Amino acid sequence: MSIIVQKFGGTSVATAERITAAAQRAVAAKRAGHQVVMVVSARGKKTDELVDLAAQITESPRAREMDMLLSTGEQESVALVAMAIHMLGEQAVSMTGGQIGIVTDSTFSKARIRSISTTAIQKQLDAGKIVVACGFQGVDDEGNITTLGRGGSDTTATALAAALRAEECEIYTDVEGVFSTDPRAVPEARKIQQISYDEMLELASVGAGVMHSRSIEFAKKFNVPLRVRPSFSDGVGTLIAAAGGDESRVVTGMALVKNEARVTLLDLPDRPGVMSTVFARMAAHKIPIDMVVQNVAVAGKAEVSFTVPSGDLAETLTAAEEAIKELGAGKIQSGTHVAKVSAVGNGMRTHSGVAAQMFQIIANLGANIEMITTSEIKISALVDRKLADETLKELHQGFHLEAPRASVPPVGVRQTGDGGWDTEAHDALLRDVVSRLSSMEDIVVSEVLLDDAQSRVTIHNLPDVPGTCAQLFTAVAEGDVMVDMIVQNVSHDGSAEVSFTVNRSDLDRCLLLTREVLEAWDGAQLTSERDIAKLTVVGIGLRTHTGVGEKMFRALAEANINIQMINTSEIRMSAVVQANQGPAGLQALQQTFGLQSDRA
Ligand code: ADP
Ligand code: ASP
Ligand code: MG
């Protein structure tokens, strides 16, 4: 019998009426012939209330007790939902994370799922019951209650759907689906019919709060068809699947993170191993590093900047101090008044000029860009927090995301290739990849790539005023030069530095165009390197697993390879190195991540 997983977020079970409405959905699915697993969050603002309550007692609650406390919110919900189902004349059983068999590591408040035993659930389902499972929680090997991080019920639902091979995983929430940006921030935002795992992964990781980004990792890894639906209406919502929807659009969605802090480590030695040391320290403190920008060293001194959630700044500075001590040189700077705006879209793979357009819109607002990072399908820019909301609105309008979308033929969720279960492919995946994982949430690095067809262009001493990047990338885009990696960083003395990579065949044209723009900027200097190698690690959930960067940079350090530029995203991490070190770098990375060489 087919299994359906239905997840209900906090607002969808906030009151007795809504609890009954949620129960009705499950009962309807059951009566339509499915086995039904519900995953339920804490009611309304319950989790926030519990966090506040703890804060009234202590500033630094022990993590274990915090998880014990927060997990009660979900426990209340599941019992009530089960009662509501009983009232509707169906059998139901409520279960905690431990009772379901969700085993996690012991990282309280952000535990990762190690394994799920489906025996207990399956037994209840086979007995004709609707299983009502607590979202957001599990137990560690010692039997301690753990939680998966705020918003983690999405991850419970997707993980259960994967483990049970559910036919569909429905995420019921308080909006019509996934929108082009948060509809609360931009009322003109539009609902997206279908979006690819990669786009959703990037969007969730750059701040689209509608889905817990780790849930999309599961969905992609195990090919779970996910549908985000409204709980208050019969809307069909948004399908998150292997393929995206409206391919005619360059930008699919946008997101904003307001509480970012920026940390710069400067005057670092420019030698192999420096990045590895910095990342190892951050990983040891479990700091979720966000935008990372490392640009070409000047005068033998390297510099790296990154952002972290403001709440992690103090811990980050401690880790940074340790790194500098270990390296024997360096200084730390930080700033807190920044916000990150990001644009995501599959179309960026093939369209030039997206960056230019984005920077121009930001420049028109008089906003200065402090940092830029890109991935194949994402551009992020760091701007002054005061201008953040306006920037998001203007970008949304500038890319016409409020316009109606090309209609996409409805995609059956059970079709192979569209995100539905293809049993054979799923079995193969389980055998080949997942069986190698000791835990369900382990990192999956699927590929290591070497691109030796690119060149690097760097502009030093860029005037640190609004509009420079817009001017630069507009000029380059007008020459139809496709820009790949962009990293930009405002340095300590108020001047900015930007590097980007282009196809080698475009380099001369690009330099010509760049020189023209540069004439207007006093002191700006252009350097370039015709032959570079770009090494990329491709996978799922790379940035949220702090260990990937560390592993990548350690492997390169051990091979004595110096890193010139870094770029990271949820699905890719790239490093630019000297051209002649490309093959050795490729080999080192393949070895580190246990992948075979295709070139042998
Ligand atoms: P739940 O409690 O159901 O898990 P969340 O609050 O976690 O709900 O997620 C739904 C909220 O996400 C919406 O109310 C909306 O404000 C916010 N949101 C942020 N970005 C987006 C987006 N791109 N599309 C839809 N909703 C978004
Ligand atoms: N109740 C938890 C939270 O508020 C988990 C969730 O809702 O997904 O973060
Ligand atoms: Mg949520």
Side-chain angles (χ1 to χ4, degrees), residues 7-10 41 150-154 171-174 209-212:
K7 179 254 168 181
F8 292 86
S41 293
R150 297 303 305 272
S153 296
D154 296 332
I171 307 289
Y172 286 95
T173 186
D174 59 1
V210 62
M211 290 295 289
H212 198 226

Side-chain angles (χ1 to χ4, degrees), residues 6 16 33 40 67 165 189 217 283 319 332 354 391 402 426 450 462 492 499 502 519 526 560-561 568:
Q6 296 183 330
V40 187
D67 280 14
R165 282 204 210 173
E217 287 179 33
I332 308 167
V354 185
T391 306
E402 78 294 344
H426 185 253
L450 167 62
L462 201 66
H492 38 108
S499 290
V502 296
E519 276 170 15
L526 176 67
N560 217 20
I561 294 173
T568 64

Side-chain angles (χ1 to χ4, degrees), residues 270-281:
D270 180 30
R271 58 173 153 81
V274 172
M275 285 303 126
S276 166
T277 303
V278 173
F279 272 77
R281 285 293 164 189

Side-chain angles (χ1 to χ4, degrees), residues 82-106:
M83 290 175 199
I85 297 171
H86 296 153
M87 284 307 292
L88 296 169
E90 286 291 337
Q91 301 238 55
V93 56
S94 60
M95 295 174 94
T96 64
Q99 288 170 338
I100 312 166
I102 297 189
V103 177
T104 71
D105 62 18
S106 302

